[in-house]
DNA sequence: CATTGTGAACGGATTCACAGCC
DNA sequence: GGCTGTGAATCCGTTCACAATG
């Protein structure tokens, strides 16, 4: 409810968190904004402004206590409690996302993965069974899941999202290449990998010089 | 070389392209900025400014010719010729990315997928064989590939990137959860799915109201 | 007369410069 | 002395309002 930080800051929070996790695992206890700057690529001033936005976490003349800063960031992002999520769409991408989060993301807990194709249902990812779509509402409601990732074909994405929202999902990470319509208070992050790749291609250097030097 | 459009615009170009592809397949010949606004979620003024940045493509009083606009955008992004790319890392994510692009992305051509694990080498994605890392330099050089996607563990990502750059790659889509160091003229887009998910979680609505109304 | 193209106004985010503090 | 915290200045992207035009 009191959540209203600028998007630009929110985007950077998980990056700080990752760097801090690294520092802490190497038993670094204090870190300066300049070191964080080197690790993240953001400017030191920006980093200080970001932290200061949520209150002052550092000690002048010294820096930031890594453990303390981490605990603050976890609280701010909302990762201080395990977050449950469901995955809809058990194609290769859905499976990859599910397994990755089960193994590597300690902050989340995959409550279920669902697929419209009954042939997929029953096969397993780690210890998690892929379940038919009809089981989805019960899982979301019983476990009060708020977050969903969807990796279904573009054609079915809107219908899936409608169902998710009807059952109580409020935040969606969308891998389907389509614009979703949702009520105002529901958050959608688009992670369209084709768009990412295409906008990257804009920056490709064609480099005639190099071609010339090849044929030396 | 003359490529210097604002990042904010470049990010939107693939989205326009996708919408245009849809309109063209439904044989729509003319489109206004207002209709594009509905389809994309961007404002009509912004869309006009974006196109105008590259020159005037529309007709006042009428709108934009869909075919013409599409051809312009393809040229601008650099998708008017097939773009070759390599994928490094043939885990579930690498396989998913490879297969998706082979099947669904007509603008690119996967020249090869490579994995450090010899056990993976030889297995196939569609008609494409996963190859050992040592074959990577030859493929990049012979086919003059400039674009790479990497989906390897964070620990090996920097080494992989160094090799890619040494062999002529200039643009990298990075799925590994780590900050990569590259020379100034090399472009890296980070597509860290954990970051996306975590920043989404910031926006989750905890909704005490709803909990209360459940227990009616 | 509907719709594009664009200078001007606005707003948000970043950078600068330095005051405050350990 | 070194590093954080922050008001002021700047930069960049978006929105507004309207002139231009098929």
């Amino acid at each position: 409810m009191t959540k209203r930080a600028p998007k630009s800051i929110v985007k950077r929070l998980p990056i700080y968190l990752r760097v801090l996790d690294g520092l802490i695992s190497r038993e670094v206890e204090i870190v300066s904004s300049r070191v964080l700057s080197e690790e993240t690529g953001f400017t030191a001033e920006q980093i200080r402004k970001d932290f200061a936005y949520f209150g002052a976490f550092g000690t002048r003349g010294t820096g930031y206590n890594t453990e303390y800063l981490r605990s603050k960031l976890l609280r701010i992002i909302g990762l201080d409690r395990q977050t449950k999520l469901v995955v809809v769409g058990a194609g290769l991408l859905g499976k990859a996302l599910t397994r990755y989060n089960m193994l590597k993301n300690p902050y989340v807990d995959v409550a279920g993965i669902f697929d419209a194709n009954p042939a997929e249902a029953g096969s397993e990812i780690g210890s998690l069974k892929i379940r038919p779509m009809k089981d989805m509402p019960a899982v979301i409601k019983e476990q009060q899941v708020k977050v969903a990732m969807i990796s279904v074909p573009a054609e079915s994405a809107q219908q899936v999202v409608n169902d998710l929202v009807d059952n109580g999902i409020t935040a969606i990470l969308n891998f389907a290449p389509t614009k979703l319509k949702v009520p105002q208070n529901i958050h959608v992050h688009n992670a369209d990998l084709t768009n990412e790749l295409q906008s990257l291609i804009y920056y490709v250097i064609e480099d005639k010089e190099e071609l010339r030097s090849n044929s030396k």
Side-chain angles (χ1 to χ4, degrees), chain A:
Chain A
M1 195 111 253
T2 42
K3 291 187 168 186
R4 251 343 46 161
K7 284 199 254 301
S8 53
I9 297 183
V10 174
K11 238 179 19 200
R12 288 188 289 266
L13 297 178
I15 299 171
Y16 298 136
L17 185 59
R18 165 128 45 221
V19 171
L20 284 171
D21 281 344
L23 292 170
I24 289 167
S25 76
R26 281 150 46 209
E27 294 177 5
V28 177
E29 287 178 11
I30 300 288
V31 68
S32 68
S33 56
R34 196 164 54 70
V35 170
L36 287 174
S37 171
E38 285 157 19
E39 298 284 331
T40 60
F42 310 136
T43 67
E45 301 89 314
Q46 184 163 62
I47 292 168
R48 294 201 299 275
K49 269 251 156 88
D50 284 353
F51 298 159
Y53 176 88
F54 300 103
F57 299 158
T59 314
R60 293 175 198 228
T62 310
Y64 300 89
N65 179 292
T66 51
E67 281 283 5
Y68 180 70
L69 182 54
R70 174 172 177 277
S71 74
K72 284 291 189 183
L73 292 180
L74 284 176
R75 173 68 68 95
I76 291 165
I77 301 174
L79 296 172
D80 51 335
R81 289 145 182 65
Q82 194 94 343
T83 302
K84 291 189 176 173
L85 66 97
V86 293
V87 179
V88 184
L92 274 182
L93 182 60
K95 283 176 189 155
L97 296 171
T98 302
R99 208 188 46 178
Y100 185 85
N101 278 295
M102 290 172 68
L103 297 179
K104 298 285 185 70
N105 193 341
Y107 302 114
V108 305
D109 172 20
V110 183
I113 172 167
F114 305 96
D115 199 288
N117 178 359
E120 287 284 359
S123 81
E124 292 190 353
I125 300 167
S127 60
L128 192 73
K129 270 207 174 55
I130 296 170
R131 304 174 64 172
M133 284 295 282
K134 71 173 166 47
D135 291 2
M136 186 262 284
V139 171
I140 291 176
K141 282 184 186 145
E142 279 161 24
Q143 306 200 39
Q144 296 177 356
V145 182
K146 300 291 174 208
V147 180
M149 300 176 83
I150 85 166
S151 54
V152 300
E155 304 77 58
S156 30
Q158 184 63 56
Q159 183 57 54
V160 165
V161 165
N162 295 348
D163 290 350
L164 289 169
V165 170
D166 284 347
N167 286 292
I169 293 293
T170 63
I172 297 169
L173 186 51
N174 174 37
F175 289 89
T178 187
K179 170 94 192 155
L180 299 171
K181 293 187 171 51
V182 293
Q184 289 244 320
N185 55 333
I186 305 296
H187 272 269
V188 176
H189 265 48
N190 290 301
D192 184 327
L193 305 177
T194 303
N195 287 350
E196 291 287 335
L197 181 58
Q198 291 183 353
S199 60
L200 175 68
I201 288 171
Y202 177 85
Y203 295 101
V204 171
I205 302 162
E206 276 308 331
D207 229 345
K208 284 126 200 167
E209 282 76 0
E210 205 172 75
L211 293 184
R212 233 179 287 134
S213 70
N214 270 354
S215 62
K216 137 100 195 291

